[in-house]
Amino acid sequence: MRLLQRWKLNLNQFFIFGIILFFLTMVLKFISLDYDPDNQNCDLSSEYCKNIYYQDLKLLASGRKNCSRIIIGDPDEVRKTQIDNLIVRNRRVLATDRDYLQLTKDCANFKKLKKYVMFSLSKEERNYPIAYSMVIHDDIEMFERLLRSIYMPQNIYCIHVDLKSSRTFLEAVKAIASCFPNVFLSSKRESVVYATWSRVQADLYCMEDLLNSNVDWKYLINTCGTDFPLKTNAEIVRALKLLNGKNNLESEKPPAYKKRRWEYHFDIKDHPVQTHIKKNLPPSNIPIFAGNAYVVLTRDFVKALFENPTAKNLMEWANDTYSPDEYLWATLHRLLEMPGSVPNHIKYDLSDLNSLARLVKWDELGGDMEHGAPYPGCTGKNRRQADGEKKTSTTAYTTMRPTRTEKI
Ligand SMILES: *[C@@H]1O[C@H](CO)[C@@H](O)[C@H](O)[C@H]1NC(C)=O
Ligand SMILES: *[C@@H]1O[C@H](CO)[C@@H](O)[C@H](O)[C@H]1NC(C)=O
């Protein structure tokens, strides 16, 4: 009986002690975790962190616009928005370099205001950092929106700002980067001339700096200033894991019209000019493949760019050709000695539509999908399409809508 009483007492004491401990823990939790935007330990398995995250990411369009409807192409909603945009007082003025210089004076506030995600959203993502090489030259708000949408604290971001960019643009990018330990400007800068070696060089500067960073990134993805992600970081991580150590990029047998790009020496001034000087064959007579500037590369591939003699010879040979960015990566990806490559057999050709790196909807790819067009016709305006070198049509579909020119 006595024994039982004593036991009961202990149980009560234990219970009270437990309650005190519980409250103490809660108090400490609220004191220490009271929203700290730099807290990288906030794990989404905790309800508390989840709440911060969802509160933080509430995004609402201004006015009466319904973004979900616009995205699925509801014509009424699109028209409503177009009319809305015509009203001058509804137009939002784009943020300037100076605005960002001002905003980033208080980094903590800047990150909170712009809703940066400052902790890894899963263990899987935290253990799988990605390197980004971003080659940009103007439009600070567009760049900052892109950075914000791909930013994760475990990743690493190198920004190459063109030598021709304005001083205030450069300063604004520097100011934004200074708010993050994992965003930096490339140590060397290039004046990028369209369709020349300098475009490749800009990425190479970032690639070298990224290799020298202390982040153990697994894959590299490059962007320009006007990209926008279609996938979340988690989706990207899963896609990269499925690549099983291979690179992923457009790489195809080049069409005949492109061959002049590397068969002749080009003089580079403010744009590339073809000369009559015929170039030698590529070193070791490597077969050239066609692709584009936007790629998904393994860390070992990027490393080999600076170490592998064949790769280095090819790059030196390519530096006076037209648009080496559109065949160099594609070619190196088919070289057996390069890490993550695939054989140069035609069966391994990958078109831009099937590669992971980038969705580019060229004008001629839009049309009547019932007749085989890969994408619906353009309902807005094409901002970029090389005029000089229209692709010869290899499309199977017949009816193409004319490009309409109203802006969306
Ligand atoms: C936007 O449109 C979708 C699809 O019609 C609808 O489900 C949703 O409730 C709408 N949202 C708002 C905020 O009106
Ligand atoms: C191309 O490579 C050659 C040989 O190394 C070098 O002299 C030249 O400066 C390079 N050109 C460019 C544009 O990098």
Side-chain angles (χ1 to χ4, degrees), residues 376-395:
C378 179
T379 55
K381 185 179 168 182
N382 280 303
R383 280 285 300 277
R384 296 280 180 270
Q385 174 105 19
D387 289 326
E389 253 184 352
K390 275 272 181 192
K391 291 182 189 172
T392 47
S393 182
T394 52
T395 44

Side-chain angles (χ1 to χ4, degrees), residues 331-346:
T331 298
L332 287 170
H333 176 53
R334 307 302 284 275
L335 201 60
L336 263 187
E337 56 195 279
M338 287 300 281
S341 62
V342 298
N344 67 21
H345 193 278
I346 192 166

Side-chain angles (χ1 to χ4, degrees), residues 361-380:
K361 185 188 159 194
W362 296 105
D363 189 30
E364 65 267 24
L365 299 182
D368 187 345
M369 292 181 72
E370 287 187 10
H371 288 84
Y375 301 115
C378 179
T379 55

Side-chain angles (χ1 to χ4, degrees), residues 66 68-69 72:
N66 183 325
S68 316
R69 285 200 190 150
I72 60 170

Side-chain angles (χ1 to χ4, degrees), residues 190 197-198 201 268 315-320:
E190 188 75 20
W197 175 254
S198 54
Q201 189 62 65
I268 287 121
M315 289 195 277
E316 205 174 298
W317 172 85
N319 83 7
D320 63 346

Side-chain angles (χ1 to χ4, degrees), residues 24-290:
L24 209 65
T25 313
M26 290 310 279
V27 167
L28 276 177
K29 199 167 168 179
F30 274 98
I31 293 172
S32 64
L33 272 181
D34 187 27
Y35 185 47
D36 166 10
D38 284 321
N39 181 10
Q40 296 195 12
N41 298 321
C42 213
D43 199 307
L44 269 198
S45 56
S46 111
E47 208 57 39
Y48 178 78
C49 291
K50 248 187 232 172
N51 284 340
I52 294 176
Y53 175 59
Y54 291 127
Q55 279 303 314
D56 248 21
L57 290 192
K58 235 175 231 167
L59 298 170
L60 295 169
S62 61
R64 290 165 294 114
K65 297 180 194 96
N66 183 325
C67 293
S68 316
R69 285 200 190 150
I70 294 173
I71 288 167
I72 60 170
D74 177 337
D76 287 339
E77 195 68 25
V78 170
R79 200 167 309 123
K80 216 168 78 186
T81 306
Q82 283 173 329
I83 292 168
D84 217 38
N85 285 346
L86 289 176
I87 301 167
V88 175
R89 79 179 140 78
N90 283 353
R91 279 199 203 137
R92 204 175 56 82
V93 181
L94 291 179
T96 64
D97 299 339
R98 275 174 219 295
D99 292 335
Y100 279 102
L101 282 172
Q102 197 60 38
L103 269 175
T104 50
K105 279 184 180 157
D106 181 349
C107 283
N109 191 47
F110 168 70
K111 287 186 266 193
K112 203 168 172 179
L113 186 77
K114 296 291 181 185
K115 303 177 192 284
Y116 277 85
V117 177
M118 291 309 294
F119 49 87
S120 304
L121 296 181
S122 63
K123 211 179 240 169
E124 184 181 21
E125 292 169 80
R126 185 169 30 204
N127 295 333
Y128 207 88
I130 300 166
Y132 281 90
S133 166
M134 308 172 76
V135 174
I136 63 171
H137 67 284
D138 67 1
D139 200 340
I140 193 71
E141 179 170 342
M142 198 150 191
F143 159 68
E144 194 270 325
R145 278 169 177 263
L146 169 61
L147 177 68
R148 193 195 313 165
S149 64
I150 59 175
Y151 182 83
M152 284 289 152
Q154 73 274 8
N155 293 342
I156 179 128
Y157 304 83
C158 172
I159 325 288
H160 177 281
V161 177
D162 201 288
L163 266 184
K164 298 185 295 301
S165 296
S166 72
R167 200 176 50 82
T168 56
F169 179 77
L170 176 66
E171 290 308 316
V173 177
K174 277 186 186 165
I176 293 167
S178 75
C179 287
F180 305 92
N182 55 339
V183 181
F184 66 91
L185 275 76
S186 63
S187 57
K188 290 181 211 144
R189 290 166 63 211
E190 188 75 20
S191 174
V192 178
V193 176
Y194 177 72
T196 70
W197 175 254
S198 54
R199 171 67 192 84
V200 175
Q201 189 62 65
D203 266 327
L204 286 172
Y205 286 152
C206 266
M207 288 173 181
E208 197 164 19
D209 290 342
L210 287 163
L211 283 173
N212 288 331
S213 79
N214 54 12
V215 173
D216 183 27
W217 51 269
K218 314 294 181 198
Y219 270 88
L220 177 136
I221 300 174
N222 62 347
T223 82
C224 62
T226 50
D227 275 320
F228 210 72
L230 297 174
K231 303 284 175 191
T232 65
N233 190 71
E235 288 168 329
I236 294 173
V237 164
R238 278 174 212 143
L240 295 179
K241 283 184 172 176
L242 286 175
L243 291 179
N244 250 333
K246 294 285 185 197
N247 309 306
N248 190 282
L249 53 142
E250 177 184 3
S251 176
E252 289 180 300
K253 182 176 147 55
Y257 79 90
K258 281 191 178 167
K259 291 188 176 157
R260 66 170 189 95
R261 295 178 170 196
W262 52 84
E263 284 176 350
Y264 292 91
H265 162 82
F266 281 75
D267 273 340
I268 287 121
K269 291 178 183 101
D270 52 352
H271 64 281
V273 179
Q274 188 175 331
T275 66
H276 295 293
I277 305 164
K278 265 219 149 202
K279 280 181 70 67
N280 292 331
L281 289 172
S284 323
N285 209 358
I286 298 171
I288 302 288
F289 286 85

